[in-house]
Amino acid sequence: AVEEASDPSCPTYLHSFTARVLCIACEDAEKVSHPDAAAIALSEVDSVVRQITTNAARVWLWSHIVNPAETVVGEEMTQLLGMLQPLSLSEVDPRLQVIWTLDAPFHQLPDHLAFGRQESARFTACRQWLVLTGPAVDNNGIIMVWSIADMGAGRGSEGDTQRGPCLCRCNGPTTADSITQREAAWIGSVVTDVCFWLWSLLL
Protein backbone atom coordinates (compact mmCIF):
# COMPACT_ATOMS: atom_id res chain seq x y z
CA ALA A 1 0.00 0.00 0.00
CA VAL A 2 2.92 2.34 0.78
CA GLU A 3 4.49 1.66 -2.60
CA GLU A 4 1.20 2.30 -4.42
CA ALA A 5 0.69 5.58 -2.59
CA SER A 6 4.08 6.80 -3.84
CA ASP A 7 3.50 5.74 -7.44
CA PRO A 8 2.30 8.71 -9.56
CA SER A 9 0.44 6.35 -11.92
CA CYS A 10 -1.58 4.81 -9.10
CA PRO A 11 -5.12 6.18 -8.53
CA THR A 12 -4.52 6.18 -4.75
CA TYR A 13 -1.56 8.52 -5.17
CA LEU A 14 -3.47 10.73 -7.59
CA HIS A 15 -6.47 11.16 -5.31
CA SER A 16 -4.05 12.28 -2.58
CA PHE A 17 -2.29 14.57 -5.05
CA THR A 18 -5.65 16.06 -6.10
CA ALA A 19 -6.51 16.82 -2.50
CA ARG A 20 -3.17 18.54 -1.89
CA VAL A 21 -3.46 20.68 -5.04
CA LEU A 22 -7.02 21.73 -4.22
CA CYS A 23 -5.99 22.69 -0.68
CA ILE A 24 -3.24 24.90 -2.07
CA ALA A 25 -5.69 26.41 -4.56
CA CYS A 26 -8.15 27.15 -1.77
CA GLU A 27 -5.45 28.91 0.27
CA ASP A 28 -4.46 31.01 -2.74
CA ALA A 29 -8.07 31.77 -3.60
CA GLU A 30 -8.61 33.29 -0.17
CA LYS A 31 -6.00 35.91 -1.05
CA VAL A 32 -7.91 36.96 -4.19
CA SER A 33 -10.10 39.99 -3.54
CA HIS A 34 -12.66 39.27 -6.28
CA PRO A 35 -14.85 36.28 -5.25
CA ASP A 36 -15.74 35.37 -8.86
CA ALA A 37 -12.09 35.21 -9.85
CA ALA A 38 -11.37 32.91 -6.94
CA ALA A 39 -14.25 30.59 -7.88
CA ILE A 40 -13.13 30.49 -11.51
CA ALA A 41 -9.56 29.70 -10.50
CA LEU A 42 -10.71 26.90 -8.23
CA SER A 43 -12.96 25.46 -10.93
CA GLU A 44 -10.16 25.49 -13.51
CA VAL A 45 -7.69 23.83 -11.15
CA ASP A 46 -10.27 21.23 -10.18
CA SER A 47 -11.05 20.46 -13.85
CA VAL A 48 -7.38 20.07 -14.82
CA VAL A 49 -6.50 17.91 -11.85
CA ARG A 50 -9.54 15.67 -12.36
CA GLN A 51 -8.61 15.18 -16.02
CA ILE A 52 -5.05 14.27 -15.09
CA THR A 53 -6.34 11.88 -12.44
CA THR A 54 -8.76 10.22 -14.88
CA ASN A 55 -6.11 9.81 -17.58
CA ALA A 56 -3.57 8.34 -15.18
CA ALA A 57 -6.17 6.01 -13.65
CA ARG A 58 -7.10 4.78 -17.14
CA VAL A 59 -3.46 4.03 -17.99
CA TRP A 60 -2.94 2.31 -14.63
CA LEU A 61 -6.03 0.11 -15.05
CA TRP A 62 -5.03 -0.75 -18.63
CA SER A 63 -1.52 -1.81 -17.55
CA HIS A 64 -3.03 -3.81 -14.71
CA ILE A 65 -5.52 -5.63 -16.95
CA VAL A 66 -3.12 -6.54 -19.78
CA ASN A 67 -0.53 -7.85 -17.30
CA PRO A 68 -1.03 -11.64 -17.12
CA ALA A 69 0.59 -11.75 -13.69
CA GLU A 70 -2.14 -9.56 -12.16
CA THR A 71 -5.51 -10.71 -10.84
CA VAL A 72 -8.29 -8.58 -12.30
CA VAL A 73 -11.78 -8.27 -10.84
CA GLY A 74 -14.83 -7.57 -12.96
CA GLU A 75 -15.38 -4.14 -11.43
CA GLU A 76 -11.96 -3.01 -12.67
CA MET A 77 -12.84 -4.06 -16.21
CA THR A 78 -16.18 -2.27 -15.97
CA GLN A 79 -14.45 0.85 -14.67
CA LEU A 80 -11.90 0.78 -17.49
CA LEU A 81 -14.58 0.33 -20.16
CA GLY A 82 -16.30 3.43 -18.79
CA MET A 83 -13.11 5.40 -19.43
CA LEU A 84 -12.56 4.10 -22.96
CA GLN A 85 -14.41 4.46 -26.27
CA PRO A 86 -15.05 0.83 -27.29
CA LEU A 87 -15.89 -0.25 -30.81
CA SER A 88 -18.19 -3.22 -31.41
CA LEU A 89 -16.69 -5.87 -33.69
CA SER A 90 -19.94 -5.78 -35.69
CA GLU A 91 -19.32 -2.10 -36.36
CA VAL A 92 -15.94 -2.96 -37.90
CA ASP A 93 -17.59 -5.47 -40.24
CA PRO A 94 -21.43 -5.46 -40.25
CA ARG A 95 -21.39 -8.91 -41.88
CA LEU A 96 -20.40 -10.33 -38.50
CA GLN A 97 -23.78 -9.38 -37.01
CA VAL A 98 -25.28 -12.56 -38.42
CA ILE A 99 -23.04 -14.66 -36.17
CA TRP A 100 -24.79 -13.45 -33.02
CA THR A 101 -28.25 -14.24 -34.46
CA LEU A 102 -27.44 -17.93 -34.76
CA ASP A 103 -28.99 -20.42 -32.38
CA ALA A 104 -25.71 -21.60 -30.81
CA PRO A 105 -24.52 -22.20 -27.23
CA PHE A 106 -22.48 -19.01 -27.11
CA HIS A 107 -21.92 -19.42 -23.38
CA GLN A 108 -19.39 -22.13 -24.35
CA LEU A 109 -17.48 -19.87 -26.76
CA PRO A 110 -15.36 -17.97 -24.19
CA ASP A 111 -13.82 -21.22 -22.91
CA HIS A 112 -13.05 -22.29 -26.48
CA LEU A 113 -11.31 -19.00 -27.23
CA ALA A 114 -9.41 -18.97 -23.94
CA PHE A 115 -8.19 -22.54 -24.42
CA GLY A 116 -6.86 -21.79 -27.89
CA ARG A 117 -5.21 -18.53 -26.84
CA GLN A 118 -3.86 -19.32 -23.41
CA GLU A 119 -0.97 -16.84 -23.61
CA SER A 120 -3.14 -13.88 -24.61
CA ALA A 121 -6.51 -14.68 -22.99
CA ARG A 122 -7.63 -14.15 -19.43
CA PHE A 123 -10.87 -14.19 -17.49
CA THR A 124 -11.54 -11.64 -14.80
CA ALA A 125 -12.34 -12.94 -11.34
CA CYS A 126 -15.80 -14.55 -11.17
CA ARG A 127 -15.65 -14.91 -14.98
CA GLN A 128 -17.49 -11.69 -15.79
CA TRP A 129 -15.26 -10.78 -18.72
CA LEU A 130 -12.88 -12.46 -21.16
CA VAL A 131 -10.02 -10.26 -22.35
CA LEU A 132 -7.96 -11.12 -25.43
CA THR A 133 -4.82 -9.03 -25.84
CA GLY A 134 -3.76 -8.03 -29.34
CA PRO A 135 -0.34 -8.14 -31.01
CA ALA A 136 0.95 -5.32 -28.77
CA VAL A 137 0.02 -5.03 -25.10
CA ASP A 138 1.41 -1.55 -24.46
CA ASN A 139 -0.69 1.60 -24.17
CA ASN A 140 -0.89 1.87 -27.96
CA GLY A 141 -2.17 -1.67 -28.42
CA ILE A 142 -5.66 -3.08 -28.72
CA ILE A 143 -7.70 -5.59 -26.73
CA MET A 144 -10.90 -7.51 -27.44
CA VAL A 145 -13.36 -7.73 -24.55
CA TRP A 146 -16.13 -10.32 -24.31
CA SER A 147 -19.00 -10.00 -21.84
CA ILE A 148 -19.73 -13.43 -20.39
CA ALA A 149 -23.26 -12.28 -19.51
CA ASP A 150 -23.94 -11.34 -23.14
CA MET A 151 -22.59 -14.67 -24.35
CA GLY A 152 -25.01 -16.49 -22.09
CA ALA A 153 -28.02 -14.35 -23.02
CA GLY A 154 -28.99 -16.35 -26.09
CA ARG A 155 -29.22 -15.25 -29.70
CA GLY A 156 -29.42 -11.59 -30.58
CA SER A 157 -31.30 -9.65 -33.24
CA GLU A 158 -30.00 -8.69 -36.66
CA GLY A 159 -29.99 -4.98 -35.86
CA ASP A 160 -28.11 -5.35 -32.60
CA THR A 161 -24.66 -4.00 -33.53
CA GLN A 162 -23.56 -3.98 -29.89
CA ARG A 163 -23.78 -7.74 -29.56
CA GLY A 164 -20.53 -9.69 -29.46
CA PRO A 165 -17.09 -8.47 -28.39
CA CYS A 166 -15.78 -4.91 -28.44
CA LEU A 167 -12.36 -3.56 -29.34
CA CYS A 168 -10.65 -1.07 -27.05
CA ARG A 169 -7.61 1.19 -27.05
CA CYS A 170 -6.10 2.86 -24.04
CA ASN A 171 -5.39 6.19 -25.72
CA GLY A 172 -7.92 7.86 -27.95
CA PRO A 173 -11.10 6.48 -29.54
CA THR A 174 -11.21 3.04 -31.11
CA THR A 175 -12.20 3.40 -34.75
CA ALA A 176 -12.11 1.12 -37.77
CA ASP A 177 -9.63 3.48 -39.43
CA SER A 178 -7.23 3.22 -36.49
CA ILE A 179 -6.84 -0.57 -36.84
CA THR A 180 -3.43 -1.48 -38.26
CA GLN A 181 -2.81 -4.33 -40.70
CA ARG A 182 -1.24 -6.39 -37.93
CA GLU A 183 -4.24 -5.81 -35.67
CA ALA A 184 -6.65 -6.58 -38.53
CA ALA A 185 -4.89 -9.92 -39.07
CA TRP A 186 -5.21 -10.70 -35.35
CA ILE A 187 -8.92 -9.76 -35.33
CA GLY A 188 -9.40 -11.95 -38.39
CA SER A 189 -7.77 -14.89 -36.61
CA VAL A 190 -10.19 -14.52 -33.68
CA VAL A 191 -13.16 -14.42 -36.07
CA THR A 192 -11.76 -17.55 -37.76
CA ASP A 193 -11.66 -19.27 -34.35
CA VAL A 194 -15.31 -18.33 -33.78
CA CYS A 195 -16.32 -19.66 -37.21
CA PHE A 196 -14.40 -22.89 -36.61
CA TRP A 197 -16.19 -23.32 -33.29
CA LEU A 198 -19.56 -22.82 -34.99
CA TRP A 199 -18.62 -25.34 -37.70
CA SER A 200 -17.53 -27.87 -35.09
CA LEU A 201 -21.03 -27.76 -33.57
CA LEU A 202 -22.36 -29.29 -36.79
CA LEU A 203 -20.12 -32.36 -36.59
Side-chain angles (χ1 to χ4, degrees), residues 2 11 42 61 64 91 105 108 114 125 151 173 175 178 180 185 197 201:
V2 175
L42 280 172
L61 279 170
H64 175 61
E91 293 179 279
Q108 299 176 7
M151 292 297 95
T175 64
S178 71
T180 66
W197 173 77
L201 296 176

Side-chain angles (χ1 to χ4, degrees), residues 11 21-23 25 28 36 38 59 63 73 76 90 93 101-102 104 110 114 121 141 160 169 173 199:
V21 171
L22 291 178
C23 285
D28 291 342
D36 291 340
V59 172
S63 301
V73 297
E76 290 174 323
S90 296
D93 188 345
T101 65
L102 299 176
D160 188 4
R169 289 191 186 283
W199 174 78

Side-chain angles (χ1 to χ4, degrees), residues 49-162:
V49 172
R50 288 181 185 278
Q51 184 62 47
I52 293 173
T53 302
T54 300
N55 290 341
R58 185 188 68 248
V59 172
W60 184 84
L61 279 170
W62 177 278
S63 301
H64 175 61
I65 286 170
V66 300
N67 184 353
E70 299 281 353
T71 299
V72 179
V73 297
E75 289 75 11
E76 290 174 323
M77 190 69 246
T78 302
Q79 183 180 0
L80 177 62
L81 287 174
M83 298 177 176
L84 303 178
Q85 299 180 47
L87 176 69
S88 168
L89 189 59
S90 296
E91 293 179 279
V92 177
D93 188 345
R95 294 173 299 179
L96 298 177
Q97 291 183 33
V98 68
I99 291 179
W100 318 118
T101 65
L102 299 176
D103 187 13
F106 284 109
H107 65 282
Q108 299 176 7
L109 179 57
D111 286 310
H112 170 80
L113 293 173
F115 180 78
R117 298 171 176 271
Q118 297 182 21
E119 295 182 358
S120 61
R122 61 183 315 195
F123 286 101
T124 60
C126 300
R127 291 174 58 91
Q128 292 174 283
W129 304 92
L130 171 65
V131 180
L132 303 179
T133 54
V137 294
D138 57 19
N139 292 344
N140 296 316
I142 195 168
I143 61 175
M144 186 181 293
V145 182
W146 300 73
S147 167
I148 305 302
D150 283 351
M151 292 297 95
R155 62 195 299 181
S157 61
E158 290 187 15
D160 188 4
T161 59
Q162 300 305 312

